[in-house]
């Protein structure tokens, strides 16, 4: 029996990177997974079991679309009867300092990284209540806890995700809904691969373990927080950063 057998999960940003790795890992552990993204998946879905376990269903969702969220959650409940897990993973980077940052870029990053998390939790919480409880996992970042030159919008949104997560944990604990944030360090994803080599080398050089990580390393943290193994864990940050924040 897998660690998520009988669970139904929704993961945003699920076409590639951390979201894709987490979706595949959840499916391997027995969950029925809906992985949504504005992009097409980079590989075929995982094999489907006769009972639906081990399935990754891919679908479109712009996380800034309020109606899209409502349709997505309603569709999951219609197909699978419940929703147990939400992973708010979708996000974008931004590198400009305050004096360089255009208002439209600020609004774009806030819309995806912060408002998208708000809309996701707001859409999912009624379904989690109907299921008798569940787990929300919000992906923040080490830069939601530590500063780096520039990157104002990204840092602001990732810090906000931590606060929003703690608020949800306290607010919905009576409903047996847990909420936790994951703070990844440098992970090999399309986002980091698009960054300059100098920036990536500097972050990795500042990481005590001396290397970056793969998306699946974050997926394992999400798996723990999504599973019943973490039934007494809520309102906290799970830092997966090779020691970066411990310096």
């Amino acid at each position: 029996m897998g660690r998520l057998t009988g669970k139904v999960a929704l993961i945003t940003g699920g076409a590639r990177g951390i979201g894709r790795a987490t979706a595949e890992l959840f499916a391997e552990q027995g969950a029925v997974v809906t992985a949504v993204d504005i992009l097409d998946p980079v590989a075929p879905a995982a094999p489907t079991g006769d009972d639906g376990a081990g399935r990754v269903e891919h679908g479109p969702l712009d996380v800034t679309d309020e109606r899209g969220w409502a349709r997505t959650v309603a569709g999951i409940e219609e197909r699978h009867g419940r929703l147990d897990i939400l992973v708010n993973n979708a996000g974008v980077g931004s590198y400009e300092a305050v004096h360089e940052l255009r208002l439209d870029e600020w609004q774009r990053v806030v819309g995806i990284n912060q408002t998208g998390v708000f809309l996701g939790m707001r859409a999912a919480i009624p379904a989690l209540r109907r299921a008798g409880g569940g787990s929300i996992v919000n992906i923040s970042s080490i830069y939601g806890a530590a500063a780096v030159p520039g990157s104002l919008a990204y840092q602001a949104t990732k810090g906000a995700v931590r606060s929003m997560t703690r608020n949800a944990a306290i607010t919905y604990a009576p409903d047996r809904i847990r909420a936790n944030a994951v703070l990844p360090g440098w992970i090999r994803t399309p986002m980091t691969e698009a960054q300059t080599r100098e920036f990536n080398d500097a972050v990795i050089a500042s990481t005590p373990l001396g290397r970056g990580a793969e998306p699946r390393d974050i997926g394992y943290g999400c798996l723990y927080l999504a599973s019943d193994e973490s039934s007494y864990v809520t309102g906290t940050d799970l830092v997966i950063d090779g020691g970066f924040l411990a310096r």
Side-chain angles (χ1 to χ4, degrees), residues 14 37 56 63 68 83 87 93 100 116 165 168 174 184 190 215 219 227 239:
D37 207 310
V56 179
V63 296
L83 177 66
V87 180
E100 303 169 315
T165 303
S227 75
V239 179

Side-chain angles (χ1 to χ4, degrees), residues 158-202:
K158 292 304 185 179
V161 166
R162 295 176 66 207
S163 294
M164 293 162 65
T165 303
R166 291 192 294 271
N167 177 275
I170 297 302
T171 303
Y172 298 104
D175 298 302
R176 299 179 63 193
I177 296 172
R178 298 182 296 106
N180 294 284
V182 173
L183 277 61
W186 193 96
I187 314 299
R188 191 181 310 281
T189 67
M191 183 186 296
T192 56
E193 289 175 345
Q195 295 171 167
T196 67
R197 180 175 179 178
E198 291 75 16
F199 183 89
N200 288 336
D201 287 349

Side-chain angles (χ1 to χ4, degrees), residues 5 21 35 40 45 60 63 74 80-81 86 96 119 146 151 156 182 189 229 231 243 246:
T5 297
D40 293 329
V63 296
H80 306 299
L86 169 67
E96 292 82 5
L119 291 174
S151 297
V182 173
T189 67
E229 297 163 11
S231 64

Side-chain angles (χ1 to χ4, degrees), residues 10 69 73 83 86 119-129 136:
L10 169 59
W69 270 110
V73 173
L83 177 66
L86 169 67
L119 291 174
M121 291 196 295
R122 194 180 69 172
I125 283 167
L128 297 176
R129 279 174 160 166
I136 297 170

Side-chain angles (χ1 to χ4, degrees), residues 9-21:
L10 169 59
I11 300 173
T12 69
R16 58 201 67 200
I18 292 170
R20 177 71 196 207

